[in-house]
Amino acid sequence: MKETFTGSFTQQEPIPDTAIAAAVEVMKTGRLHRYNLVDDQEGEVSALEREFAAYTGATYCLAVASGGYALATALRAVGVKPGDKVLTNAFTLAPVPGSIASVGAVPVFVGVTEQLTIDLEDLAAKADQADVLMLSHMRGHLCDMDRLAGICHAKGITVIEDCAHTMGAAWRGIPSGRFGALAAYSTQTYKHMNSGEGGLLIGDDPVVMARATMLSGSYMLYTRHGAAPEAEVFEQVKYATPNVSGRMDHLRAAILRPQLADLATQCARWNERYQTVETGLRDTPGLTVVERPPEETFVGSSIQFLLLDWPEAKIDHVLSRCLARGVELKWFGGAEPSGFTSRYDSWRYAPSDPMPKSDRVLRSIIDMRLPLTFSLDDCALIARIIRDEVSTVFQSG
Ligand SMILES: *Cc1c(COP(=O)(O)O)cnc(C)c1O
């Protein structure tokens, strides 16, 4: 009898009891809108902004409706205009080029390496095409942030970090999100804190963050924020910045604050699961483990491996054989977008020249979520199943 796995790759842990209790308190008041406060009450959203700013070390933090909304707001706040080009990763999730398109700008895709990070040589080659880089730390992989900062600094490129998968991660001990002018996080269910939907934007520039706050729909109530610039700064932007409504509400913030307090523990639990799967996959014939650089502190909420130069039919075979044994793998390289996966050439509103080196990598990327509901035994079993099926298909004629 072959072993099979019976867990669910989409099953998250329940919301912690303390978070549920906080949410119930908010609901009892009926005051869910972030500016619906009593006297000088701080409110959950404002408190979350203050706490997340402190957590990352940023001066300012703004809570918004989603990670994608935070990305688009960041682009607007730094002054990206319709028709402008914006550099971004070829390997990323659809909301990233989508946020660029949402402000009428044009994505210029930069290639991906076998480490699943942005190809810095390709970035240097394309650096003259745009003033802004939206750097997506896709699936939690951090590139050499020192080299990246060097390239962008030399070319005067403003960096916006997409930290949807790097909340809790760091490069040389510096939190992910502290290299760019702005950084966006997601608190959507599949990320590192779960409020269903939600986003956070951090930055140090008072004018840019005042603009972002106005954009998010603050009206003239911006003094009720927990980590926003001084009221004087808003005088410079308040008449010139449109309200592109996308606020967070108290209910979500109430759910997130206890999760933020517990984030370090959760990240350590993800990494135990990641290490267990990675150890189990090492030295599988035909399978390339993605090596993580020593400077990188990552959060292993998902794991990727490569089936480099495999014919598509064999990759399909591995996926279906693993699925038959309960292991749900996602293939980012599939020619047709499916589920949450898609390729830069499937975003046809943003045509790109082909990138053969990146295409070879993209075609090979297999991805798997590691929800915290999996035990370490589950993770070891999953790795045994993948190892078995990859070896079998690899060795078949
Ligand atoms: C999830 C995700 C986003 C968007 O976040 P939402 O909150 O779902 O809008 C952006 N970038 C990456 C890499 C993501 O995984």
Side-chain angles (χ1 to χ4, degrees):
M1 251 305 273
K2 283 189 171 177
E3 293 182 297
T4 60
F5 177 64
T6 55
S8 164
F9 283 80
T10 56
Q11 184 61 57
Q12 310 302 323
E13 290 191 299
I15 299 300
D17 287 339
T18 47
I20 294 173
V24 169
E25 281 313 303
V26 169
M27 285 189 282
K28 282 183 183 163
T29 67
R31 294 176 176 267
L32 271 60
H33 190 284
R34 72 166 294 164
Y35 301 120
N36 190 355
L37 299 164
V38 181
D39 302 324
D40 56 359
Q41 179 196 7
E42 181 178 35
E44 294 285 345
V45 181
S46 202
L48 173 67
E49 290 169 337
R50 192 170 42 70
E51 289 165 0
F52 196 71
Y55 172 78
T56 54
T59 315
Y60 308 115
C61 174
L62 173 71
V64 294
S66 76
Y69 180 87
L71 290 172
T73 302
L75 290 167
R76 284 200 178 89
V78 301
V80 172
K81 302 268 176 319
D84 287 356
K85 289 182 175 174
V86 174
L87 296 157
T88 195
N89 305 59
F91 174 49
T92 186
L93 211 69
V96 177
S99 72
I100 297 170
S102 81
V103 302
V106 181
V108 175
F109 295 108
V110 182
V112 61
T113 66
E114 285 180 35
Q115 280 65 52
L116 302 189
T117 55
I118 193 164
D119 180 340
L120 294 176
E121 271 158 46
D122 196 31
L123 176 65
K126 291 172 176 166
D128 290 328
Q129 294 187 36
D131 301 325
V132 174
L133 164 66
M134 180 167 279
L135 174 66
S136 184
H137 305 298
M138 179 61 171
R139 282 336 213 195
H141 296 271
L142 293 176
C143 71
D144 182 334
M145 291 303 296
D146 300 307
R147 254 186 87 196
L148 178 120
I151 294 168
C152 292
H153 187 76
K155 296 285 183 179
I157 293 175
T158 300
V159 179
I160 297 168
E161 291 183 68
D162 166 20
C163 299
H165 299 150
T166 56
M167 186 187 279
W171 179 263
R172 275 193 302 100
I174 300 166
S176 174
R178 298 299 291 142
F179 290 85
L182 292 168
Y185 301 78
S186 168
T187 61
Q188 187 237 77
T189 295
Y190 297 106
K191 313 299 161 85
H192 299 172
M193 300 198 290
N194 177 8
S195 59
E197 303 286 357
L200 293 157
L201 184 67
I202 61 164
D204 292 337
D205 184 308
V207 176
V208 169
M209 284 302 287
R211 238 183 253 134
T213 306
M214 294 298 300
L215 285 163
S216 76
S218 68
Y219 305 95
M220 298 302 149
L221 302 170
Y222 44 76
T223 55
R224 301 192 192 170
H225 281 242
E230 298 292 323
E232 296 82 72
V233 181
F234 285 84
E235 296 303 322
Q236 300 175 43
V237 303
K238 70 182 192 184
Y239 301 110
T241 311
N243 176 329
V244 187
S245 196
R247 293 171 301 271
M248 183 179 278
D249 59 88
H250 290 315
L251 202 48
R252 283 173 196 178
I255 293 172
L256 290 171
R257 290 179 62 212
Q259 295 182 56
L260 179 58
D262 209 26
L263 184 58
T265 309
Q266 299 296 78
C267 292
R269 293 177 62 217
W270 264 305
N271 286 352
E272 288 175 339
R273 283 153 183 77
Y274 184 100
Q275 292 305 343
T276 304
V277 175
E278 193 201 75
T279 304
L281 293 182
R282 271 196 187 279
D283 307 317
T284 303
L287 180 150
T288 306
V289 166
V290 181
E291 301 296 347
R292 314 294 300 237
E295 294 91 341
E296 184 192 32
T297 306
F298 62 93
V299 182
S301 54
S302 68
I303 189 165
Q304 295 71 41
F305 59 85
L306 309 183
L307 300 179
L308 277 168
D309 304 321
W310 282 48
E312 294 204 359
K314 278 197 167 185
I315 294 181
D316 269 333
H317 221 138
V318 167
L319 298 189
S320 56
R321 291 176 67 117
C322 285
L323 188 61
R325 296 174 67 180
V327 175
E328 216 179 303
L329 301 175
K330 302 290 177 190
W331 184 25
F332 270 92
E336 193 54 32
S338 137
F340 59 83
T341 66
S342 54
R343 264 180 3 194
Y344 72 94
D345 56 354
S346 33
W347 304 322
R348 291 182 202 165
Y349 59 84
S352 170
D353 289 334
M355 290 181 268
K357 262 171 66 187
S358 296
D359 292 342
R360 171 174 176 262
V361 176
L362 286 169
R363 268 197 302 271
S364 77
I365 303 172
I366 309 295
D367 175 87
M368 183 173 72
R369 284 188 181 129
L370 293 173
L372 290 173
T373 50
F374 290 3
S375 68
L376 296 184
D377 285 344
D378 289 340
C379 293
L381 168 62
I382 289 166
R384 282 198 301 279
I385 292 172
I386 297 172
R387 183 186 194 86
D388 186 25
E389 296 302 342
V390 168
S391 319
T392 304
V393 177
F394 184 67
Q395 280 146 9
S396 71

